[in-house]
Amino acid sequence: MSRMNILITGAGGFIGQALATALAAEGKATSLILTDVVEPAAPHSAQLTTRCVQGDLTSQKLCDSLLTRDLTHVFLLHGIMSGAAEANLELGIKVNMDATRTVLDTLRTVNPGVRVIFTSTTAVYGPPPSPGFSLTEANAPCPGSSYGAQKLISETLLNDYSRRGLLDGRIVRLPTVLVRPGKPTGAASSFASSIFREPLNGQKSTLPVCKDLSLWICSPRTIVKNLLHARDLPTKAYQGGSRVVNLPGVTVSIHEMLEALKAIGGQEAFDLVKEQRDAPTEKIVESWPAKYDTLKAKELGFTEDGTLEQTLKDYVEDYGTNKL
């Protein structure tokens, strides 16, 4: 493809900003549109033409202005995260379902066949059939949260539009992304970043779940690499089947995460994490399986993640701390 005109929704978020920065550094894109409910920041690039737009994607008028025939790739990253979607059902439906459908329906009309990369979540699964069970894309989803249900509905729609040739979808189910910089988010998994980010900056953090719980996690660097890989995969790679891929990650327990914090930040950082169980958060996190067989992702060439210790070192290198 000689030109790449790319749109990123939810571009003001952490992954959206990291992806925009990677696209600017890569040098393949001709133009880039970034949109979110708050106007996103543009990456530094003298070569890349970038337009930043504030707006609500449930607005047909906004979609008509953004979703034009010249787009070659659309990254759908917008969303209300798990904890917030559980607390406010109507808002979750509006953002995670209605806005996504508005975008997809506009694209299939204005720009049929355009490549759409949709970030879904492993929260589409409910609890595993048995402890330690490794899930694959062949296991039937049964969400244990409204967020997972809303993402699954959008997955199904994009899969069907791809089956019909209306769009060229790539659906990637993200592990919990660790470590996210900035402030805590509305995600139930937000604590997983907070128990590293805040202590490494000399601030207290709260652990709302049991230390025995495990999470399926992935580093930001690997997530961005895999989003770019999803963009570049030829359509024939999916062999006419489902466009869903569970992205690679690693399984870690909360106890292992705290030990990694101690190894990187010392006892002082470790002591800043205080246990304060929160039943609603724990219920959501407990419903997420922590082990996956990602053979499909590996066969398609997606990048595997490194160790938790390396992820923390990368975070410190990329974003720094006030303590190290």
Side-chain angles (χ1 to χ4, degrees):
M1 186 173 290
S2 59
R3 64 182 177 84
M4 287 189 185
N5 298 321
I6 299 173
L7 167 69
I8 304 175
T9 71
F14 160 53
I15 294 298
Q17 288 288 291
L19 177 60
T21 299
L23 288 167
E26 182 186 50
K28 294 182 180 180
T30 305
S31 67
L32 180 63
I33 302 174
L34 307 178
T35 186
D36 211 326
V37 290
V38 175
E39 184 174 315
H44 298 292
S45 174
Q47 290 76 37
L48 182 60
T49 301
T50 304
R51 181 159 65 103
C52 300
V53 180
Q54 180 274 332
D56 179 354
L57 289 171
T58 59
S59 164
Q60 187 63 58
K61 182 178 180 180
L62 177 67
C63 286
D64 289 341
S65 69
L66 291 178
L67 306 173
T68 55
R69 187 178 297 276
D70 63 331
L71 289 174
T72 58
H73 301 82
V74 178
F75 288 89
L76 298 184
L77 309 186
H78 66 274
I80 296 296
M81 297 295 100
S82 49
E86 193 69 18
N88 190 332
L89 177 62
E90 298 304 324
L91 182 61
I93 290 173
K94 178 182 179 182
V95 176
N96 296 334
M97 289 170 49
D98 295 346
T100 301
R101 183 182 174 187
T102 300
V103 170
L104 296 180
D105 284 347
T106 303
L107 283 172
R108 69 182 176 90
T109 302
V110 174
N111 194 347
V114 68
R115 192 162 292 184
V116 178
I117 302 93
F118 175 65
T119 54
S120 188
T121 171
T122 53
V124 299
Y125 296 106
S130 60
F133 186 89
S134 292
L135 288 159
T136 74
E137 292 83 358
N139 292 106
C142 185
S145 66
S146 293
Y147 174 66
Q150 291 152 11
K151 284 290 192 176
L152 179 60
I153 290 167
S154 296
E155 278 188 14
T156 304
L157 187 62
L158 181 53
N159 240 333
D160 189 52
Y161 286 0
S162 298
R163 177 189 65 83
R164 299 176 70 100
L166 300 173
L167 296 171
D168 185 4
R170 286 93 206 290
I171 301 164
V172 288
R173 291 175 178 161
L174 273 58
T176 294
V177 183
L178 192 75
V179 176
R180 291 175 177 266
K183 297 179 180 180
T185 69
S189 61
S190 181
F191 75 88
S193 287
S194 295
I195 63 174
F196 291 111
R197 183 182 58 236
E198 275 69 62
L200 290 175
N201 282 296
Q203 301 170 6
K204 294 181 180 180
S205 180
T206 299
L207 176 64
V209 300
C210 172
K211 291 181 181 179
D212 292 333
L213 281 179
S214 291
L215 294 173
W216 179 247
I217 67 165
C218 188
S219 69
R221 289 186 183 183
T222 301
I223 291 292
V224 171
K225 286 180 184 177
N226 283 332
L227 288 175
L228 294 176
H229 183 68
R231 174 199 66 185
D232 294 338
L233 271 176
T235 305
K236 65 181 181 181
Y238 293 94
Q239 299 179 338
S242 171
R243 301 301 181 94
V244 173
V245 176
N246 294 332
L247 289 187
V250 294
T251 301
V252 295
S253 69
I254 305 300
H255 175 76
E256 290 172 326
M257 292 166 65
L258 293 173
E259 289 301 310
L261 171 64
K262 185 189 292 186
I264 297 294
Q267 187 69 40
E268 181 182 359
F270 180 85
D271 290 341
L272 288 170
V273 180
K274 304 300 180 184
E275 291 186 67
Q276 186 176 333
R277 304 276 283 274
D278 178 75
T281 298
E282 198 164 52
K283 182 178 179 181
I284 293 173
V285 176
E286 284 177 337
S287 75
W288 299 341
K291 291 188 177 182
Y292 294 83
D293 178 347
T294 55
L295 178 62
K296 180 177 179 179
K298 294 170 188 174
E299 290 178 340
L300 288 171
F302 286 95
T303 299
E304 293 191 66
D305 203 26
T307 64
L308 176 58
E309 290 75 14
Q310 186 59 52
T311 293
L312 295 182
K313 290 177 182 177
D314 291 345
Y315 169 74
V316 172
E317 179 180 329
D318 291 344
Y319 299 100
T321 74
N322 294 336
K323 301 297 289 182
L324 298 183

